[in-house]
Amino acid sequence: MATLRFQALKETLNRKPLEIDENERRSELFGRNVFSESVMRQFLTKEAYQSVKEANATGKKIDRTIADHISTGMKEWAISKGATHYTHWFQPLTGSTAEKHDAFFETIGDGLAIEKFGGGQLVQQEPDASSFPNGGIRNTFEARGYTAWDPTSPAFIYGTTLCIPSVFVSYTGDALDYKTPLLRALQAVDQAATDVAKYFDKNVSKVQATLGWEQEYFLIDSALATSRPDIQLAGRTLLGHSPAKGQQLDDHYFGSIPSRVLAYMRDLEKECMLLGIPVKTRHNEVAPNQFELAPIFEEANLAVDHNSLLMDIMQRVADRHSFVVLFHEKPFAGINGSGKHNNWSLSTDTGVNLLGPGSTPMKNLQFLTFFINTIKAVHDNEELLRATIASASNDFRLGANEAPPAIISTFIGSQLTEVLDELEKVTDGKLSPAEKTELKLNVVGKIPEILLDNTDRNRTSSFAFTGNKFEFRAVGSTANCAEPMTALNSIVAKQLIDFKKEVDSLVKKKKMKKDDAIFNVLREYIKQSKNIRFEGDGYSEEWEKEAAKRGLSNNRNTPEALKALVNKETIDMYRKLGVMNEIEIEARHEIQLEEYIMRVQIESRILGDIARNHVIPTAIRYQNILIKNVRGLKEIFADDFKEHSKEQLEIIKEISERIEKINSGITEMIEARKKANKLEDAEEKAFAYCNDVKPFFETIRYHCDKLELLIDDEIWPLTKYRELLFTR
Ligand code: ADP
Ligand code: MG
């Protein structure tokens, strides 16, 4: 029974790290399989190259005849690199990436064949889209969805396939993917931020959102992972007692990387280099077998593509090294979970980071403008931000005393807090020359270019300012960054539009000078958004109480959190910005509720199976051993056998009690599922799964874990936490 566990352990112990050849410099490998600028120059006509550049810079459509030139150049390049197939590569709302490969190969009659890839095939494809989630946008009889080339993210070759980053939309043009709304939000924030940046520098004509994600993950040996049905099917453990030693000693964080893992990382990084993913840092994370990978930040759309691609590659490279990557936010109870910090900023085409303090008072006023507007945007939309990171798996992490709480707040550090406190006192109306000089010299002028407490020090904040960027830390490790990035860029776009309106109006109606007007509006924003600022310990109970007093939301579970996706303010905002229409928003809400239901349902089934098919039979086996033992004792000791079998009898009793609790728990859980399944409305059903089904997980698990501690290790069938986390 326990043979699989011991076989897996034996296999794991015999593994050796793979040899990784790293003779070539990374700078030389970088982007080798990417249809990059320099490749385009080589393989495209001047006209075609210009047209891609223009599409990139201004979003201008690419002419069909030119698309033919581009596709021909792309094909030549791809074939020269050994590619045989092409695919539109897109990110449907399933949470992974999708591709359907077609060969370049085509017959032309008379037994002849050529390699062909036309502009039409580059620009648009029609995959059979009926099996992707669509939340009712596409009626099943109208199973048409289109993928369309996104020229702002370069094509790349993976294996022998040319991959063309694409959007995925229904025949009515509604977004069925993550990328489409993101691109729209990025356009909105570009426009809004450019308009505001022009207050400070007329030469700015484009603002890009930048994103640097940090991907946390666990690596588990594949044999060990396969020996656990829960890891195999749910990507996390549904039961398992904490090992005697976990992460208490903090000896894993930043410690030396185990050699098999290091080989994996080097292999992975090589693949990343070839694909132009600029990965830079790797290190151990807090928990045993937990690691992190982070790139140099990039334009947000590209960074999102790169993260999706990376997650895919990570799993494939892991196969080679006999590892399984767990992206789940909480694969092990009682041990740190995984997140995906989203570092975000805005940068101009003149090369200025708008969230980086500058060397002059004017530059700092620009910095403060974007800084305060972002805080205001987060303040006004905290519940929406929370909604964008909601998922069944992230629910196990948020608020679990080690990850940011389900409350959104911003941490800005003491230096900037002082600056905002000063700015709050700025005179209402026109500022006197003396006040302005004072402000410039002693407040705005005092912000150093490099903030001393630019600090990662407060790791408990869900949305922290870290010196020259904001870091959205509550994002889950399985998430597609597009969702939080769509929301964040949209709310900042809306905020900047409002800001500009207010400043312009003060200038026009109150005849204020521009910087007076800016100071006036910022002062009000500081006052209005104070509630979202929190410098203390975000994990503490006091903060929960304080946040409630401040009226901040604290939506602890996904169905609750998702409500904010479909409230009137959200729909209005997205509609006005052109990011999503009501149909698209409702569809997403529906899809996420369904996803939630499915996840909880699947986990509930797995837990029931493991507990009934693995745990209870093992418990009975062990109980029988004890019973035999007691019988034997009775034979030998006759009258005082009770004295000698006292402990055994206790254990026998305890096993029976726990079996009873587990089995009746499963029966009740199944009943709760049946009841939930009868509900038609997706939201009601999600709440039923959340409130009536999920609570059984804990009780069932509790008794299973107690049995794990009680039962003979030799016959325990499930690979233990200690083995999963510490075998290398
Ligand atoms: P750490 O937080 O570990 O001290 P950094 O602050 O250098 O490290 O950066 C963490 C992440 O933030 C990296 O992925 C980095 O690329 C990203 N990052 C740095 N600057 C920006 C920026 N202006 N916009 C977006 N991401 C950024
Ligand atoms: Mg970080």
Side-chain angles (χ1 to χ4, degrees):
M1 210 179 156
T3 47
L4 185 58
R5 173 177 154 220
F6 290 112
Q7 251 174 30
L9 276 168
K10 203 167 145 197
E11 232 173 278
T12 306
L13 289 169
N14 283 332
R15 294 204 207 278
K16 298 272 172 302
L18 298 188
E19 292 283 339
I20 305 301
D21 164 20
E22 271 188 302
N23 288 332
E24 271 186 285
R25 282 187 195 209
R26 295 199 166 192
S27 57
E28 275 161 26
L29 291 175
F30 189 70
R32 189 175 284 174
N33 293 345
V34 179
F35 198 62
S36 60
E37 289 255 351
S38 62
V39 176
M40 277 196 264
R41 285 223 177 109
Q42 209 183 327
F43 280 83
L44 295 187
T45 58
K46 209 169 182 185
E47 207 186 0
Y49 171 71
Q50 281 306 337
S51 154
V52 178
K53 290 273 289 180
E54 228 175 271
N56 257 317
T58 62
K60 195 173 157 233
K61 267 218 159 88
I62 290 175
D63 188 77
R64 258 312 291 275
T65 48
I66 296 203
D68 279 331
H69 291 293
I70 300 170
S71 64
T72 306
M74 238 186 222
K75 178 196 70 185
E76 286 311 313
W77 168 73
I79 290 173
S80 78
K81 306 210 59 108
T84 54
H85 287 67
Y86 64 89
T87 181
H88 275 203
W89 179 85
F90 58 103
Q91 297 163 55
L93 297 167
T94 47
S96 53
T97 58
E99 46 201 76
K100 171 181 161 252
H101 299 187
D102 283 303
F104 290 124
F105 169 85
E106 228 156 88
T107 53
I108 51 166
D110 296 332
L112 300 174
I114 55 167
E115 258 73 41
K116 197 175 161 227
F117 180 49
Q121 291 151 312
L122 165 65
V123 173
Q124 195 168 306
Q125 273 193 334
E126 196 179 332
D128 173 22
S130 52
S131 44
F132 292 112
N134 59 65
I137 285 185
R138 253 184 304 97
N139 295 328
T140 28
F141 59 85
E142 237 319 352
R144 275 156 65 198
Y146 297 98
T147 54
W149 176 34
D150 165 21
T152 62
S153 179
F156 56 89
I157 296 170
Y158 192 64
T160 52
T161 304
L162 169 68
C163 301
I164 300 151
S166 302
V167 295
F168 181 39
V169 293
S170 74
Y171 75 104
T172 50
D174 292 323
L176 295 170
D177 66 349
Y178 284 111
K179 190 192 263 277
T180 307
L182 174 68
L183 288 173
R184 295 175 186 154
L186 293 173
Q187 202 177 348
V189 83
D190 171 10
Q191 182 92 58
T194 302
D195 287 348
V196 172
K198 277 188 174 78
Y199 281 150
F200 307 95
D201 180 359
K202 289 262 175 297
N203 297 318
V204 173
S205 62
K206 188 174 174 65
V207 172
Q208 273 188 342
T210 52
L211 166 64
W213 38 263
E214 300 165 62
Q215 179 74 52
E216 291 181 328
Y217 62 100
F218 279 81
L219 270 187
I220 304 296
D221 185 273
S222 56
L224 297 178
T226 325
S227 73
R228 298 267 319 206
D230 45 0
I231 295 185
Q232 212 176 17
L233 298 174
R236 76 170 180 115
T237 57
L238 293 167
L239 38 83
H241 203 280
S242 303
K245 171 183 181 288
Q247 59 191 49
Q248 305 95 321
L249 300 177
D250 276 335
D251 50 357
H252 185 64
Y253 194 49
F254 281 10
S256 71
I257 299 171
S259 55
R260 254 182 86 203
V261 175
L262 190 59
Y264 165 76
M265 288 175 168
R266 289 167 61 205
D267 201 3
L268 173 65
E269 286 166 9
K270 237 173 103 177
E271 293 279 0
C272 288
M273 285 298 114
L274 292 171
L275 290 164
I277 307 174
V279 292
K280 180 132 172 108
T281 39
R282 60 182 180 209
H283 60 79
N284 290 352
E285 261 302 326
V286 180
N289 278 356
Q290 189 189 27
F291 308 94
E292 183 186 291
L293 182 72
I296 297 167
F297 68 92
E298 300 177 283
E299 185 278 321
N301 174 44
L302 184 60
V304 168
D305 280 359
H306 277 166
N307 182 248
S308 297
L309 180 57
L310 173 94
M311 289 172 78
D312 189 30
I313 299 168
M314 282 176 78
Q315 208 63 267
R316 298 194 207 198
V317 175
D319 283 348
R320 292 207 280 270
H321 294 256
S322 307
F323 278 128
V324 165
V325 183
L326 302 184
F327 285 116
H328 196 286
E329 282 81 355
K330 194 76 185 169
F332 302 98
I335 282 176
N336 233 59
S338 302
K340 175 149 49 197
H341 296 178
N342 278 206
N343 294 273
W344 169 89
S345 188
L346 293 170
S347 91
T348 68
D349 57 349
T350 53
V352 174
N353 174 3
L354 292 169
L355 289 173
S359 49
T360 64
M362 194 59 173
K363 281 183 189 156
N364 276 337
L365 187 56
Q366 169 173 289
F367 157 68
L368 285 169
T369 296
F370 285 92
F371 177 67
I372 294 166
N373 271 288
T374 305
I375 295 173
K376 174 79 159 55
V378 173
H379 171 268
D380 293 358
N381 299 279
E382 46 96 6
E383 207 163 5
L384 171 60
L385 282 182
R386 164 68 183 100
T388 65
I389 50 160
S391 69
S393 49
N394 211 14
D395 278 2
F396 291 106
R397 170 175 164 261
L398 295 184
N401 238 18
E402 76 197 39
I407 306 162
I408 302 290
S409 68
T410 62
F411 166 85
I412 62 173
S414 58
Q415 283 177 312
L416 288 167
T417 301
E418 266 175 47
V419 172
L420 297 201
D421 288 348
E422 285 299 318
L423 284 181
E424 207 183 319
K425 298 181 202 147
V426 166
T427 306
D428 196 353
K430 287 181 188 168
L431 277 61
S432 70
E435 185 177 8
K436 260 198 238 181
T437 310
E438 161 69 16
L439 271 176
K440 281 182 185 163
L441 280 182
N442 288 327
V443 182
V444 181
K446 245 177 44 185
I447 306 171
E449 242 181 296
I450 298 163
L451 289 162
L452 283 180
D453 64 350
N454 68 12
T455 159
D456 220 18
R457 272 171 231 152
N458 189 331
R459 297 190 63 85
T460 66
S461 175
S462 42
F463 198 91
F465 184 72
T466 47
N468 54 9
K469 63 191 184 288
F470 279 97
E471 185 168 345
F472 193 7
R473 294 206 179 108
V475 183
S477 45
T478 57
N480 184 312
C481 308
E483 220 199 328
M485 281 297 114
T486 299
L488 179 58
N489 288 295
S490 297
I491 63 176
V492 171
K494 175 188 182 291
Q495 179 53 50
L496 290 169
I497 291 169
D498 292 348
F499 172 76
K500 181 152 192 307
K501 258 189 223 146
E502 290 186 58
V503 171
D504 288 352
S505 144
L506 287 182
V507 171
K508 214 165 150 197
K509 294 198 187 124
K510 299 253 167 91
K511 303 273 175 279
M512 275 191 202
K513 282 220 166 104
K514 195 179 67 198
D515 50 356
D516 286 3
I518 291 175
F519 275 122
N520 269 275
V521 178
L522 291 183
R523 179 195 60 235
E524 292 312 303
Y525 285 178
I526 292 170
K527 287 187 198 160
Q528 291 159 11
S529 61
K530 242 182 185 169
N531 274 345
I532 200 75
R533 279 163 47 200
F534 179 64
E535 301 287 306
D537 178 2
Y539 298 173
S540 67
E541 242 173 78
E542 296 85 77
W543 170 229
E544 258 194 274
K545 284 186 201 139
E546 166 71 17
K549 256 196 241 151
R550 294 186 186 186
L552 297 176
S553 72
N554 186 5
N555 297 326
R556 280 164 225 264
N557 60 57
T558 295
E560 194 65 50
L562 288 179
K563 281 174 188 274
L565 275 189
V566 284
N567 67 27
K568 194 179 159 309
E569 297 83 61
T570 305
I571 293 174
D572 276 354
M573 178 198 61
Y574 279 140
R575 205 192 48 228
K576 279 191 192 139
L577 293 171
V579 171
M580 282 190 273
N581 61 35
E582 193 162 352
I583 296 172
E584 292 169 313
I585 297 168
E586 296 279 358
R588 260 149 233 265
H589 184 235
E590 186 91 6
I591 288 169
Q592 295 200 38
L593 287 170
E594 274 164 15
E595 157 107 15
Y596 177 84
I597 294 164
M598 232 109 74
R599 296 262 171 214
V600 180
Q601 187 179 59
I602 290 170
E603 290 199 345
S604 159
R605 288 191 182 137
I606 301 171
L607 180 61
D609 288 355
I610 297 180
R612 275 201 176 140
N613 303 338
H614 299 243
V615 176
I616 294 181
T618 309
I620 291 175
R621 253 177 86 186
Y622 184 54
Q623 197 182 37
N624 281 338
I625 295 175
L626 294 174
I627 291 172
K628 209 170 147 199
N629 174 258
V630 173
R631 284 216 182 98
L633 291 173
K634 194 173 176 184
E635 237 172 76
I636 310 174
F637 291 110
D639 285 350
D640 39 55
F641 97 96
K642 274 205 172 140
E643 186 191 324
H644 297 298
S645 59
K646 194 168 144 269
E647 296 302 322
Q648 286 89 325
L649 287 168
E650 281 299 317
I651 298 177
I652 289 169
K653 231 175 80 195
E654 184 179 341
I655 291 176
S656 283
E657 281 163 9
R658 297 210 186 275
I659 288 177
E660 195 280 318
K661 294 254 169 52
I662 293 167
N663 202 52
S664 64
I666 296 170
T667 305
E668 282 176 59
M669 180 170 73
I670 292 172
E671 279 310 308
R673 254 179 12 223
K674 280 188 189 155
K675 251 179 149 172
N677 289 343
K678 291 212 180 86
L679 298 168
E680 292 281 333
D681 180 72
E683 189 171 61
E684 270 180 48
K685 196 164 161 181
F687 272 113
Y689 265 94
C690 178
N691 297 327
D692 307 335
V693 178
K694 215 177 130 194
F696 286 107
F697 288 17
E698 284 216 8
T699 42
I700 295 170
R701 178 192 186 129
Y702 175 79
H703 294 289
C704 289
D705 289 355
K706 287 288 176 198
L707 286 176
E708 181 185 326
L709 286 185
L710 212 57
I711 288 171
D712 181 4
D713 182 63
E714 283 286 313
I715 62 169
W716 187 254
L718 296 161
T719 305
K720 296 187 170 178
Y721 267 31
R722 156 173 51 84
E723 296 155 346
L724 290 166
L725 291 167
F726 292 98
T727 321
R728 295 203 167 130

